[in-house]
Amino acid sequence: MPASPLPQIGMMLHMQPAADEPIPAFFQQRAALVQEIEQIGVQAVWVTEHHFDPQSLSASPLLLLAHWAARTQRIQLGVAAVLPAGRNPALLAEEIALLSNLAPGRIAIGFAKGGPFEAQKRAFGWGSDAARVQMREVVDAVLDRLPPQSAEGGGEAVLQPPAQLPLPLFVASREPDTLAWAASRGLGWMSAQFWPQETYDAQAINWGIVAQRPAEALLSRGLWIDEDGDAARRHALAWLAAFRRNKQSQWKVGFRGPMAEMDESESLARAIVGTPEECARQLTDLLAQRAVPRLAFNPLDDRPERQLEQMQRLLRQVLPLVSSSLSAPQPTSWPASLSAACAALHRADAALPGHP
């Protein structure tokens, strides 16, 4: 049987409680949601790391993964992404290695320098060029400890337990030097939900120049499916506007990130939104133009029952149409042309100053 043309399908689970929702109940309900999305066939769940944010209760994502690992059997559990700046690399390596033994073959870890959030910046000093350098230093030290090690010679401390492989590792960055470093260290890359597709393409180019191997990447996209395409677009735009308002007060002073000033067309272009048929066409176009090994969808609603319903619709109504389309011969291969790829790289590089 030929391999599926579809990437790994995951869900990005943002840990946002409802107003006045008891916090212990919130964590139990989200763990139950992870169980449910595993049961319907979603292949991965991803969680972010944020601090001092009432809209994102995920200050310790490795703990969340351990909790979910105890309640699931098959689904891959990922962090997008751990913020290593300021962490002790030996302790972080131990935590990752232990987690990989709690759910063998099911853990995936991304790393990032830290977002543009003022509270994090004040508390930890994140969000600057120095944080990027520190991230790389810490991750280098973690990577040096993670591979299977010999207990003989060298006098080095050996992780106990050793990390279980496979253990996919990624970096979330748009900075060419960081992507080249990631490729040289065996890391894949992550592209965030609100980054344009051109950024993903530029990441692939910068990473691929060094890697010389098949891509290992994660692309995240918002999702909203409705039988009425106009209603789907209205819902998505309303959710994005509310999300932007909630985050605006937490962004660092002067931040003009990829979602800070998007218009409606830009917002919708960075999501999969519409009827099942419209979503299938959007997703087919996205996948036909570029290699995307892993996709993580963020259902644009804070209610877990609606998030589950959206992932069900994706699996049952959209992906079969996409699979059929991608199985047919494609007129072009990615990248469509060298000039288009170089243009994407130029646009992404021009947007780098002041961005993560």
Side-chain angles (χ1 to χ4, degrees), residues 38-300:
E38 177 184 60
Q39 291 168 5
I40 66 171
V42 175
Q43 296 166 290
V45 62
W46 299 86
V47 65
T48 57
E49 178 175 338
H50 290 126
H51 296 268
F52 316 110
D53 182 355
Q55 305 292 329
S56 186
L57 304 183
S58 53
S60 185
L62 298 181
L63 282 180
L64 289 173
L65 263 56
H67 181 53
W68 298 341
R71 302 183 60 160
T72 56
Q73 288 78 45
R74 301 176 306 280
I75 194 167
Q76 186 167 66
L77 306 168
V79 185
V82 170
L83 308 180
R87 279 186 161 103
N88 181 295
L91 291 175
L92 181 56
E94 284 188 314
E95 291 172 358
I96 293 172
L98 178 58
L99 184 59
S100 74
N101 281 272
L102 295 177
R106 295 203 289 136
I107 301 301
I109 304 291
F111 302 102
K113 77 176 181 62
F117 300 108
E118 197 66 26
Q120 290 183 179
K121 179 183 174 183
R122 288 195 304 268
F124 302 125
W126 292 344
S128 64
D129 289 339
R132 181 182 293 111
V133 172
Q134 190 175 16
M135 176 200 75
R136 288 170 57 166
E137 291 174 348
V138 171
V139 173
D140 272 331
V142 168
L143 295 177
D144 290 342
R145 290 172 169 86
L146 281 180
Q149 300 166 298
S150 171
E152 299 178 359
E156 294 292 332
V158 178
L159 290 181
Q160 297 297 340
Q164 288 291 317
L165 303 179
L167 182 58
L169 301 171
F170 308 82
V171 65
S173 177
R174 291 172 289 175
E175 205 275 326
D177 287 346
T178 299
L179 289 162
W181 160 79
S184 71
R185 292 306 315 257
L187 302 171
W189 81 90
M190 293 177 158
S191 201
Q193 175 180 337
F194 299 109
W195 294 357
Q197 292 178 13
E198 290 88 346
T199 295
Y200 181 90
D201 295 343
Q203 287 175 299
I205 294 167
N206 283 306
W207 185 88
I209 289 170
V210 174
Q212 298 296 310
R213 63 180 183 275
E216 181 62 282
L218 170 71
L219 174 62
S220 179
R221 280 292 177 260
L223 174 72
W224 197 256
I225 308 165
D226 194 297
E227 293 303 323
D228 183 332
D230 290 336
R233 287 179 279 276
R234 287 194 299 271
H235 176 97
L237 289 170
W239 187 92
L240 289 166
F243 183 85
R244 188 182 291 112
R245 287 193 300 270
N246 288 336
K247 294 300 181 186
Q248 188 71 54
S249 63
Q250 301 175 47
W251 286 333
K252 67 187 178 186
V253 176
F255 175 66
R256 291 293 180 268
M259 69 165 295
E261 296 178 341
M262 289 190 297
D263 62 22
E264 290 186 355
S265 62
E266 288 175 313
S267 298
L268 293 175
R270 302 180 193 188
I272 304 297
V273 176
T275 66
E277 294 76 17
E278 288 172 332
C279 290
R281 286 195 294 271
Q282 295 163 24
L283 192 50
T284 298
D285 289 345
L286 185 152
L287 296 175
Q289 296 295 320
R290 54 193 53 82
V292 183
R294 301 165 187 259
L295 262 174
F297 292 94
N298 174 28
L300 301 179

